[in-house]
Amino acid sequence: MTSSSSPSQDAQSPAQNYPEGLRADALMEEDVAWSQEIDGDRDGDQFDRSERAALRRVAGLSTELEDVTEVEYRQLRLERVVLVGVWTTGTVRDADNSLAELAALAETAGALVLDGVVQRRDKPDAATYIGSGKANELRDIVLETGADTVICDGELSPGQLIHLEDVVKVKVIDRTALILDIFAQHAKSREGKAQVALAQMQYMLPRLRGWGQSLSRQMGGGSGGGLATRGPGETKIETDRRRIREKMAKMRREIADMKTGRDIKRQERRRNKVPSVAIAGYTNAGKSSLLNRLTGAGVLVENALFATLDPTVRRAETPSGRLYTLVDTVGFVRHLPHHLVEAFRSTMEEVGDSDLILHVVDGSHPDPEEQLAAVREVVRDVGATKVPEIVVINKADAADPLVLQRLLRIEKRSIAVSARTGQGIAELLALIDNELPRPSVEIEALVPYTEGQLVARAHTEGEVISEEHTAEGTLLKLRVHEELAADLGPYVAEPALR
């Protein structure tokens, strides 16, 4: 077997021909000498000293997006979060479902979920929520994953927030702050933005922290103070709290003024005896999709939590021709912050003032019964327990048939539908027609043709059973409320039947 030698090994080095004293200089000259034929393929591109020391961009590594929508979406997903929960009651499945919902909330807010941990405790630790030892373990997880935020599945006290941040060395927020952030992103109307701002200020007021200049006091006394101003002045953090209280008072007045306008519209519908149907339910259960299917409202539909916050009122008609209004309300969630319940009370009053509630539940959810319980808890808070309720099990096309059977068996007044495919919508409309309150007086009246406005009112405010055009006028058999019955009194051909 023969071996080949390289040209550098075969040729004698020029440095060997130099005297001993000049050998070092010759070696240096040999090092800097470069030949395209010998060294070109071996060394590749050469850089001088300044270029070697400079930062060099490497092509092909950038993940910058060209499409504007993708760029905006990427900018939202900047925070890398680790989830942590405390499991106090229920089963392991309940704890996992709660943390999975927290992960969905975090993704809706624009975060990237890296990890999630749950601890079994009788109650959350008063200092660090999960205990000092587990807080240290959580710090190791944060360092390992490179997270910059920790989200706790519960409402933390100001002390718990401070102590846990001191241990994990990154920002810590709780479930309430996360939901408030989502509401702030999705609020579009003036009333919705004001309600979210009020809830955020209510949440932040007891959690203001001060250090450095925030704890310094205003100057009291001296040459610029004047009489009765000497002594310790107001600290900066106290000034901030006072300003927040003033803003909260102003925001409550603005929301009260907006509520007046909503009440006027509600009274107008009530005066015209138009029944109202409120769509309530868990967030992302498909309320807006159902509203679009029933009325063609064109409301935003998105597979995200709290995609729509502002209530939408649309006119609808039953199969028998009765007019009513459909109100799409804000979605609910388990452990909905009480700040939001108070701030959105004027909006949620639409549920309490309605004649019928369509309680929409996601039939494809792992635990729909818990969704039903969470929504009913909020409905009790707004005082709507006496309003009749129909449980609408949505997403029947994607639900487990056994789950549908179980829900239909448990909930006596329930129906399975699919807002996406239209399955069960006709049956739901018929059920709404039967459940809506009917006018209390049934009469038969012969209305002259000169009183055409009464016939129009009979169609808009009452329920026309039959209509016949005669030589004397329009013969109507209808159900009406007492006010319209009094106006039709002079033309009544038959007394009230009930």
Side-chain angles (χ1 to χ4, degrees):
M1 180 177 181
T2 59
S3 60
S4 62
S5 59
S6 64
S8 60
Q9 292 174 341
D10 295 337
Q12 187 178 5
S13 175
Q16 297 178 3
N17 300 326
Y18 285 89
E20 188 70 25
L22 300 178
R23 183 168 295 177
D25 295 335
L27 287 174
M28 293 180 63
E29 292 177 0
E30 182 181 356
D31 288 340
V32 298
W34 184 82
S35 170
Q36 175 66 35
E37 179 182 355
I38 298 176
D39 301 317
D41 297 333
R42 181 183 65 188
D43 293 343
D45 296 336
Q46 300 296 305
F47 301 96
D48 58 22
R49 184 184 301 274
S50 61
E51 289 178 335
R52 287 200 303 269
L55 290 176
R56 188 161 47 90
R57 294 186 181 277
V58 180
L61 296 183
S62 175
T63 58
E64 185 177 3
L65 304 176
E66 298 295 335
D67 186 71
V68 175
T69 57
E70 292 185 352
V71 171
E72 292 176 350
Y73 181 70
R74 175 67 60 87
Q75 289 174 347
L76 287 176
R77 302 183 66 86
L78 292 178
E79 293 195 65
R80 301 161 60 85
V81 302
V82 171
L83 311 178
V84 57
V86 172
W87 169 30
T88 56
T89 58
T91 62
V92 178
R93 181 183 177 186
D94 295 335
D96 292 344
N97 288 340
S98 181
L99 210 65
E101 183 178 274
L102 185 66
L105 289 169
E107 291 181 356
T108 303
L112 178 62
V113 179
L114 302 178
D115 204 350
V117 292
V118 176
Q119 185 197 13
R120 183 72 171 94
R121 293 179 65 95
D122 294 335
K123 60 180 181 180
D125 183 68
T128 60
Y129 182 67
I130 54 176
S132 58
K134 297 300 179 183
N136 290 327
E137 294 182 18
L138 179 62
R139 179 189 58 197
D140 297 337
I141 295 175
V142 168
L143 292 174
E144 179 183 350
T145 58
D148 51 27
T149 304
V150 170
I151 303 179
C152 298
D153 190 16
E155 186 168 344
L156 272 61
S157 66
Q160 288 173 325
L161 280 172
I162 295 173
H163 293 150
L164 191 56
E165 278 189 354
D166 290 341
V167 176
V168 298
K169 306 301 182 184
V170 295
K171 181 175 69 174
V172 176
I173 63 174
D174 57 13
R175 184 188 184 93
T176 301
L178 180 62
I179 295 176
L180 288 172
D181 182 76
I182 296 173
F183 271 58
Q185 291 182 34
H186 292 178
K188 297 294 185 293
S189 68
R190 179 167 170 260
E191 183 177 10
K193 291 179 180 178
Q195 290 169 330
V196 172
L198 176 60
Q200 286 180 319
M201 286 187 286
Q202 287 176 328
Y203 174 79
M204 288 302 300
L205 184 60
R207 291 170 173 81
L208 285 180
R209 304 185 212 172
W211 58 84
Q213 293 296 321
S214 297
L215 298 179
S216 63
R217 296 186 181 275
Q218 297 179 359
M219 180 180 296
S223 59
L227 296 176
T229 61
R230 293 174 176 82
E234 194 175 31
T235 62
K236 179 68 168 57
I237 191 171
E238 290 170 346
T239 305
D240 293 341
R241 285 175 179 156
R242 175 168 51 80
R243 289 174 178 171
I244 288 179
R245 292 190 185 99
E246 292 173 354
K247 289 182 180 179
M248 287 171 59
K250 179 183 178 182
M251 203 69 68
R252 288 193 180 98
R253 290 193 296 268
E254 292 180 358
I255 294 175
D257 294 339
M258 299 175 198
K259 180 179 180 294
T260 302
R262 187 180 295 277
D263 290 341
I264 292 174
K265 295 178 183 178
R266 194 181 299 137
Q267 290 172 5
E268 184 69 16
R269 295 196 299 267
R270 205 177 285 131
R271 185 179 68 82
N272 293 328
K273 305 298 181 182
V274 178
S276 175
V277 177
I279 302 178
Y282 214 77
T283 179
N284 206 29
K287 300 183 299 300
S288 298
S289 299
L290 184 63
L291 177 69
N292 290 342
R293 173 65 69 170
L294 294 176
T295 66
V299 177
L300 169 68
V301 174
E302 186 177 353
N303 185 22
L305 306 184
F306 302 113
T308 53
L309 297 181
D310 303 318
T312 304
V313 182
R314 290 293 183 269
R315 177 176 171 174
E317 187 175 334
T318 65
S320 63
R322 300 172 60 195
L323 295 178
Y324 65 98
T325 59
L326 267 175
V327 184
D328 182 18
T329 61
V330 63
F332 302 146
V333 71
R334 98 167 41 91
H335 309 310
L336 190 67
H338 64 277
H339 308 292
L340 281 175
V341 176
E342 289 298 323
F344 279 79
R345 182 168 294 276
S346 62
T347 302
M348 294 177 180
E349 284 175 356
E350 295 283 357
V351 178
D353 291 337
S354 62
D355 299 296
L356 180 66
I357 297 177
L358 297 184
H359 185 166
V360 183
V361 61
D362 184 358
S364 62
H365 192 269
D367 194 358
E369 289 87 355
E370 189 170 353
Q371 287 192 352
L372 288 168
V375 173
R376 284 169 176 162
E377 181 180 354
V378 180
V379 169
R380 283 195 300 268
D381 291 341
V382 299
T385 55
K386 296 182 180 180
V387 181
E389 175 193 69
I390 296 177
V391 176
V392 181
I393 308 169
N394 194 21
K395 305 182 184 180
D397 55 323
D400 186 350
L402 296 178
V403 174
L404 289 180
Q405 293 177 8
R406 185 178 76 239
L407 289 174
L408 292 172
R409 184 177 65 254
I410 296 175
E411 301 293 337
K412 302 304 179 184
R413 295 159 55 91
S414 60
I415 183 171
V417 304
S418 172
R420 186 177 66 88
T421 64
Q423 171 188 346
I425 296 298
E427 292 80 359
L428 175 60
L429 287 172
L431 187 58
I432 292 174
D433 197 358
N434 292 331
E435 293 294 334
L436 281 178
R438 296 182 177 276
S440 57
V441 181
E442 184 174 328
I443 61 175
E444 186 172 333
L446 182 62
V447 183
Y449 289 118
T450 56
E451 299 293 336
Q453 75 277 4
L454 287 178
V455 178
R457 287 183 59 191
H459 281 278
T460 57
E461 301 178 20
E463 181 181 354
V464 178
I465 301 174
S466 65
E467 182 178 10
E468 181 182 353
H469 298 286
T470 66
E472 295 80 12
T474 305
L475 181 61
L476 295 174
K477 185 176 182 181
L478 69 166
R479 293 188 182 92
V480 294
H481 52 81
E482 295 180 357
E483 183 181 348
L484 182 56
D487 295 339
L488 289 171
Y491 314 107
V492 172
E494 185 177 334
L497 300 179
R498 57 177 246 197

